[in-house]
Amino acid sequence: MQQLKSFLCGRWQSGADPQTVLHDATTGAAIAQTSSRGLDLGAALRHGRAVGGPALRQLSFAQRGEILGQLASVLVTHRDHLLDLSGRNMGTTRGDGKFDIDGASGTLAYYAKLGQTLGDRTWLADGEQVQFSRSKRFVGQHIWSPRRGIAVHINAFNFPAWNLCEKLACALLAGMPVLAKPGTATAIVSVRIVELWQEAGLLPDGALQLLVGSAGDLLDHLGPQDCVVFTGSGSTGQQIRSHPQVLRYNVPVNVEADSINATVLGPDIAPGSDVWTMFLAEVVREITQKAGQKCTAIRRVLVPSAVADEVQAELVARLQDARVGDPAVQGTAVGPVAGPAQKRDVVAGLQNLALHAQLVWQAADVPADGCFVATSLFRTDAGAAAEYVHDHEVFGPAATLLPYAGSADEAVDIVARAGGCLATSVFSDDAAWAGHVVLGVAPYTGRVYWGSSKVFDQGTGHGAVMPALVHGGPGKAGGGEELGGERGLRFYWQRTAIQGDTQLLRGLVG
Amino acid sequence: MQQLKSFLCGRWQSGADPQTVLHDATTGAAIAQTSSRGLDLGAALRHGRAVGGPALRQLSFAQRGEILGQLASVLVTHRDHLLDLSGRNMGTTRGDGKFDIDGASGTLAYYAKLGQTLGDRTWLADGEQVQFSRSKRFVGQHIWSPRRGIAVHINAFNFPAWNLCEKLACALLAGMPVLAKPGTATAIVSVRIVELWQEAGLLPDGALQLLVGSAGDLLDHLGPQDCVVFTGSGSTGQQIRSHPQVLRYNVPVNVEADSINATVLGPDIAPGSDVWTMFLAEVVREITQKAGQKCTAIRRVLVPSAVADEVQAELVARLQDARVGDPAVQGTAVGPVAGPAQKRDVVAGLQNLALHAQLVWQAADVPADGCFVATSLFRTDAGAAAEYVHDHEVFGPAATLLPYAGSADEAVDIVARAGGCLATSVFSDDAAWAGHVVLGVAPYTGRVYWGSSKVFDQGTGHGAVMPALVHGGPGKAGGGEELGGERGLRFYWQRTAIQGDTQLLRGLVG
């Protein structure tokens, strides 16, 4: 059985027994083990701060970007190998695996390019000089400079490549060293990626460390210049936010947590039209892709009551064609969920959902072994009043149809009922109606996707996170924000207002 | 005895006994009482969300700015009255009172003008359209729109006018209703300001509520679209950050807390020079103004060892001239601290400071009655290794001299030792040396003030917070950020990425 090691303080290290076992999601067989017990995590954080930070900060944005570009190239070179590992560890179909691996290399490449754009500097000015009324000589200038601590990244199990890379791309380009902890159940891909990077010798010493297994006492060692970025469950997010060291030093914490995303079909969309088809394809993809294990996946499907039965029939027809089974078999649409613990969570969630909404369809012929879950479609006519549906994210291949009368305000109220989402989509060609919904859901959503006939064949998809756009959501979705081009770097920076003589500041800031 | 009421749900309300007593800081006499016991704070938050929010959001930035301008005018009209109240309640000299009252009206006026600049819109675009590679038609656009909840402002006792107004200026201009809670000990000024505004009928119903006395169960009623902005002690900041509702809904919390600010005299500054004089005047003002009760006040004075004795002698000479006494008497430089509780805290802090640093001078002839504290100057040669000095803010008229050898790196290390500050100042004409210190302390500081011979007669001062510049600091200083022009509004907004057809998005966002 493979022993997964952590890469800390410049060397690969194994923790003491007992070990945590990782499974092949398709067969359920144990395939690897790991432990972080006894590893000196305080030393790892100090190593990042003392060695990795200074090394990164002396590089320009262009130089940091160049490193990111090389990291991306390694992923491209070893793509097939990583896709195999992903399929074996977490049961992804080849398409699901690509979404993760190619998303990772694409995001690294995006930030590599941004590094070139930011150029030969090591920190940035924010805005122009501010003049005060009483003097023309004495002015203010804001700057962004990298925090002097270490960025702790606690990643989710569902994207072992992309989640690792999208976070570290921003931190490293910003000039902060990283200690990343992947979700243990699917850590094989994360570990292999860091091994490949280490073998290629691309990163300055201390710039990137990897902790595999339990976080142990990691957070006890946080200091006032550190920060934490977390993707995962709301309850773990709460634990991090309320950790004594986080509170003591006001350590910035970015959380991306439970999100019960919605899509809204506009009343103007006629059955059979391009947008109708686009909408159906989008919902099916969001339910089936990665077996529904995407933080941006559609969980609530708002459809005008007048066409609810028709939408339901069409979705069922398409979902019936999306076979659940061994991801290695050609034509499989839905693989297993990522591991035994994930399967238990999803099955429990589906049982609860069935208490509050009607199960209108469920996939048959689902393998009993391994971590397979039956694709499921629910429906409730309770709208915003529905219980459970708006409150609990079932992180698997399932969604709930919510018929509504067709008014924009009603749609906004139903979407808002979840208390904050990562992604909401609206499908409509009625600019006024859709504009009302888009602006109405905006305060409750990190990203709004507007599908219309003008872009029916061009969209990037409801669930795809683009590095140029912010990813995160308010309220229950965590209240955080990642990516968004340069915006994603600012979390790792301190903004400082500098006041002084206008010429001296120009000499300093440029 | 005056009964201070809360303004909640559109009417002035008194809480049940027992009452909290407010004092005349100069005489120690009880002058007012208040209680929030039994007030329905959940109803107040709902009133703000349901009535105040929609009313504000239908106004344009220009209209909201116009209201802020009218609020500022009321303060200007009633300036003398408010200065009298401030002197009576918190023992401010006329100059100290102006710093608060004029700071309040000035900040409101600044944001009134910003409202005019932002113009006839109700929310803002953030950046330009982002094009994705695969399509020219399908693009992304970020927008900022106001959160749909209520902003809870928990203010500090030391600036009952300015702290109230700088926070609400940003929130109201951003389009969020406010419930403000002033520091109880000095709430008379805050209450009177809101009374004057109410009498003038300037604010939409529900846009501004005032809670006087204990916060009670206020935070238990927070929802996912609300936010909290707090100025005060680090321990209360921790309580707010770890409140169950804050954690449950990831409520954004902005904290401005303990800050052990520093000033650094450069080794190039010759005794008797303009910058030398500027430096001494700055230190004396920061120790004496508002009896040292400013979150930005200088607590640590770094001076080159070679001139430490000379600086000390000059400071003592100037501090001896700064008489401590009745603020109503012409020529008094240092009034009492704001109340009996504040006096107890400061006296305890001075006693602790004396255990870890040498008391080199203390004011004599300090009135025994009322809330007076002797102005005090300490000194330690322990630099970054000094205990207590870098860890505990003594919120009164005191500072500690810290001689250092003269190297820029050493100065940065000593400043950084406090784990995060609101304001740091550097006095030097050596552009390279000072630039090194300015950039070195930037990650640990919200605002850096560079005094030089070019601006010796023009600076706004180490301690003055300007609305155009961010106010806040990392780490122990709370990790927050207020003001900074439009930057200060963003805390009250949700940033949302919108994806769709380029023409449809232009129609929506403009």
Side-chain angles (χ1 to χ4, degrees):
Chain A
M1 191 151 55
Q2 185 183 358
Q3 180 74 39
L4 292 181
K5 296 183 181 179
S6 293
F7 184 73
L8 302 173
C9 295
R11 59 195 178 85
W12 290 96
Q13 306 183 30
S14 281
D17 287 340
Q19 304 283 323
T20 301
V21 173
L22 284 74
H23 301 84
D24 178 324
T26 306
T27 64
I31 52 172
Q33 62 177 20
T34 192
S35 165
S36 60
R37 203 171 296 255
L39 299 180
D40 189 343
L41 304 184
L45 293 188
R46 288 192 298 277
H47 180 68
R49 290 185 205 113
V51 178
L56 280 168
R57 290 198 300 274
Q58 74 173 20
L59 301 178
S60 67
F61 288 112
Q63 290 170 316
R64 294 174 209 154
E66 200 170 321
I67 293 174
L68 296 182
Q70 291 163 344
L71 301 182
S73 296
V74 168
L75 300 195
V76 172
T77 302
H78 297 272
R79 183 173 183 246
D80 282 334
H81 169 52
L82 293 169
L83 288 173
D84 287 347
L85 283 182
S86 174
R88 178 154 166 264
N89 186 182
M90 60 188 298
T92 47
T93 65
R94 197 164 164 88
D96 292 346
K98 285 181 195 170
F99 196 68
D100 184 29
I101 307 292
D102 295 348
S105 54
T107 303
L108 287 168
Y110 172 88
Y111 278 99
K113 202 171 157 192
L114 181 61
Q116 297 304 320
T117 308
L118 296 177
D120 192 28
R121 290 172 290 179
T122 58
W123 48 272
L124 291 182
D126 174 49
E128 301 299 315
Q129 284 197 356
V130 179
Q131 203 169 299
F132 307 106
S133 52
R134 67 170 76 177
S135 161
K136 288 197 171 174
R137 204 159 212 189
F138 185 80
V139 299
Q141 169 71 57
H142 292 90
I143 68 164
W144 293 112
S145 59
R147 297 173 65 84
R148 297 297 200 251
I150 182 166
V152 171
H153 290 172
I154 302 178
N155 297 326
F157 70 83
N158 56 332
F159 283 101
W162 175 80
N163 206 202
L164 173 75
C165 293
E166 58 99 15
K167 282 188 172 61
L168 70 81
C170 287
L172 296 182
L173 186 57
M176 267 193 99
V178 170
L179 184 146
K181 192 198 102 55
T184 308
T186 62
I188 293 177
V189 172
S190 307
V191 170
R192 187 64 191 131
I193 287 173
V194 175
E195 278 177 355
L196 290 168
W197 288 343
Q198 278 309 124
E199 289 163 12
L202 299 175
L203 282 158
D205 190 19
L208 175 64
Q209 301 178 82
L210 190 75
L211 169 63
V212 188
S214 159
D217 65 355
L218 179 65
L219 301 185
D220 295 346
H221 304 286
L222 286 173
Q225 288 273 310
D226 298 336
C227 61
V228 180
V229 187
F230 168 73
T231 302
S233 74
S235 59
T236 306
Q238 290 191 20
Q239 282 176 34
I240 295 171
R241 280 231 164 90
S242 56
H243 188 280
Q245 287 299 93
V246 168
L247 294 171
R248 178 176 177 192
Y249 292 124
N250 296 296
V251 174
V253 178
N254 193 90
V255 171
E256 193 251 278
D258 314 335
S259 175
I260 307 148
N261 310 295
T263 187
V264 183
L265 180 65
D268 62 302
I269 299 304
S273 64
D274 282 346
V275 179
W276 172 272
T277 308
M278 182 192 191
F279 167 80
L280 293 173
E282 207 58 37
V283 173
V284 170
R285 176 166 58 185
E286 291 301 305
I287 293 174
T288 57
Q289 190 174 47
K290 287 180 68 65
Q293 299 167 103
K294 287 188 328 207
C295 49
T296 52
I298 294 170
R299 309 293 178 192
R300 300 177 295 156
V301 184
L302 279 66
V303 292
S305 304
V307 295
D309 291 343
E310 202 163 348
V311 168
Q312 180 181 320
E314 295 248 28
L315 286 178
V316 167
R318 283 166 167 78
L319 289 171
Q320 266 164 341
D321 289 341
R323 201 180 62 233
V324 181
D326 185 339
V329 172
Q330 189 84 14
T332 294
V334 184
V337 295
Q342 284 70 29
K343 179 175 177 177
R344 281 193 296 275
D345 282 352
V346 176
V347 168
L350 294 176
Q351 285 167 350
N352 281 322
L353 209 43
L355 299 176
H356 299 92
Q358 187 196 349
L359 177 65
V360 294
W361 179 81
Q362 193 161 49
D365 302 324
V366 173
D369 292 342
C371 306
F372 294 92
V373 173
T375 310
S376 307
L377 187 66
F378 294 85
R379 175 173 173 164
T380 172
D381 293 318
E387 288 180 39
Y388 197 81
V389 173
H390 305 290
D391 297 320
H392 296 272
E393 185 184 23
V394 179
F395 208 68
T400 303
L401 275 172
L402 290 142
Y404 75 106
S407 95
D409 284 339
E410 186 192 358
V412 171
D413 285 348
I414 296 175
V415 171
R417 175 64 178 73
C421 292
L422 295 171
T424 301
S425 48
V426 184
F427 291 84
S428 170
D429 281 329
D430 182 336
W433 187 93
H436 192 90
V437 175
V438 167
L439 295 181
V441 301
Y444 305 97
T445 313
R447 184 169 54 85
V448 180
Y449 186 92
W450 182 355
S452 65
S453 58
K454 297 192 174 182
V455 295
F456 82 99
D457 58 348
Q458 302 183 44
T460 48
H462 167 108
V465 175
M466 312 301 294
L469 303 181
V470 292
H471 172 56
K476 276 189 64 168
E481 202 177 65
E482 298 182 15
L483 299 171
E486 190 191 310
R487 298 172 187 85
L489 276 57
R490 295 180 191 155
F491 182 77
Y492 302 100
W493 290 338
Q494 170 66 30
R495 177 153 48 190
T496 305
I498 306 179
Q499 294 175 278
D501 171 71
T502 181
Q503 290 306 328
L504 287 174
L505 292 196
R506 270 194 219 291
L508 189 66
V509 177
Chain B
M1 190 149 60
Q2 185 184 356
Q3 180 74 39
L4 292 181
K5 295 183 182 178
S6 293
F7 185 73
L8 303 173
C9 294
R11 61 196 176 82
W12 291 97
Q13 306 182 31
S14 281
D17 287 340
Q19 305 282 323
T20 301
V21 174
L22 285 72
H23 301 85
D24 178 325
T26 307
T27 65
I31 53 173
Q33 62 178 18
T34 192
S35 165
S36 61
R37 204 172 294 257
L39 300 180
D40 189 342
L41 304 184
L45 294 189
R46 288 191 298 275
H47 179 69
R49 288 183 207 117
V51 179
L56 280 169
R57 291 197 299 273
Q58 74 173 20
L59 301 178
S60 68
F61 288 112
Q63 290 170 317
R64 294 174 209 154
E66 201 171 317
I67 293 174
L68 296 182
Q70 291 163 345
L71 301 182
S73 295
V74 168
L75 299 196
V76 172
T77 303
H78 296 273
R79 183 173 185 248
D80 282 335
H81 169 52
L82 293 169
L83 287 173
D84 287 347
L85 283 182
S86 174
R88 179 154 165 265
N89 185 180
M90 59 187 298
T92 47
T93 65
R94 197 166 164 86
D96 291 345
K98 285 181 194 170
F99 195 68
D100 184 29
I101 308 292
D102 295 349
S105 55
T107 303
L108 286 167
Y110 172 88
Y111 277 99
K113 201 171 159 191
L114 181 61
Q116 297 303 319
T117 307
L118 296 177
D120 192 28
R121 292 171 288 180
T122 59
W123 47 273
L124 291 183
D126 173 50
E128 302 299 315
Q129 284 196 356
V130 178
Q131 204 169 298
F132 306 106
S133 51
R134 67 169 79 174
S135 163
K136 287 195 173 176
R137 204 159 211 187
F138 185 81
V139 299
Q141 169 71 58
H142 291 89
I143 68 164
W144 293 110
S145 59
R147 297 173 65 85
R148 296 297 199 255
I150 182 167
V152 171
H153 290 172
I154 302 178
N155 297 326
F157 70 85
N158 56 331
F159 283 101
W162 175 80
N163 206 203
L164 174 75
C165 293
E166 58 99 14
K167 281 189 172 61
L168 70 80
C170 287
L172 296 180
L173 186 57
M176 266 194 99
V178 170
L179 184 145
K181 193 198 102 55
T184 308
T186 63
I188 293 177
V189 172
S190 307
V191 170
R192 188 62 190 134
I193 287 173
V194 175
E195 279 178 356
L196 291 167
W197 288 343
Q198 278 309 124
E199 288 163 12
L202 298 175
L203 281 159
D205 190 18
L208 176 64
Q209 302 179 81
L210 190 75
L211 169 63
V212 188
S214 159
D217 65 355
L218 180 65
L219 301 186
D220 296 346
H221 304 286
L222 286 173
Q225 287 273 308
D226 299 337
C227 62
V228 180
V229 187
F230 167 73
T231 304
S233 74
S235 58
T236 306
Q238 290 191 18
Q239 280 176 35
I240 295 171
R241 280 231 164 92
S242 55
H243 189 281
Q245 287 299 94
V246 167
L247 293 172
R248 179 176 176 192
Y249 292 125
N250 296 298
V251 174
V253 177
N254 193 90
V255 171
E256 192 250 278
D258 315 334
S259 175
I260 306 148
N261 309 296
T263 188
V264 183
L265 180 65
D268 61 303
I269 299 304
S273 65
D274 283 347
V275 179
W276 171 272
T277 308
M278 181 192 191
F279 167 78
L280 292 173
E282 209 57 38
V283 172
V284 169
R285 175 164 62 183
E286 291 301 306
I287 293 174
T288 59
Q289 190 174 48
K290 289 180 68 63
Q293 298 167 103
K294 287 189 328 207
C295 49
T296 52
I298 294 170
R299 309 294 177 194
R300 298 177 296 154
V301 184
L302 279 66
V303 292
S305 303
V307 295
D309 291 343
E310 200 163 349
V311 168
Q312 180 181 322
E314 295 249 30
L315 286 178
V316 167
R318 283 164 167 80
L319 290 170
Q320 263 164 344
D321 288 341
R323 200 179 62 232
V324 181
D326 186 339
V329 173
Q330 190 84 17
T332 295
V334 184
V337 295
Q342 285 71 30
K343 179 176 177 176
R344 282 192 297 276
D345 283 352
V346 176
V347 168
L350 293 177
Q351 284 167 350
N352 282 321
L353 209 45
L355 299 176
H356 299 92
Q358 186 195 351
L359 177 65
V360 295
W361 177 82
Q362 193 161 48
D365 302 326
V366 173
D369 291 342
C371 306
F372 294 92
V373 174
T375 310
S376 308
L377 187 66
F378 294 85
R379 175 172 174 165
T380 172
D381 294 317
E387 287 180 39
Y388 198 82
V389 173
H390 305 289
D391 297 320
H392 296 272
E393 185 184 22
V394 179
F395 208 66
T400 302
L401 275 172
L402 290 142
Y404 75 106
S407 95
D409 283 338
E410 186 191 0
V412 170
D413 285 347
I414 296 175
V415 171
R417 175 65 178 75
C421 292
L422 296 171
T424 301
S425 48
V426 184
F427 291 84
S428 170
D429 281 329
D430 181 336
W433 186 92
H436 192 90
V437 175
V438 167
L439 294 181
V441 301
Y444 305 96
T445 314
R447 184 168 55 84
V448 180
Y449 187 91
W450 183 355
S452 65
S453 57
K454 297 193 174 182
V455 295
F456 83 98
D457 57 350
Q458 302 182 42
T460 50
H462 167 108
V465 175
M466 313 302 293
L469 302 182
V470 293
H471 172 56
K476 275 188 66 169
E481 201 178 65
E482 298 183 14
L483 300 169
E486 191 192 308
R487 297 173 188 84
L489 277 57
R490 294 180 192 157
F491 182 76
Y492 303 100
W493 290 339
Q494 171 66 31
R495 176 152 50 191
T496 306
I498 306 178
Q499 294 175 279
D501 171 72
T502 180
Q503 290 305 329
L504 287 174
L505 292 196
R506 273 195 217 290
L508 188 67
V509 178

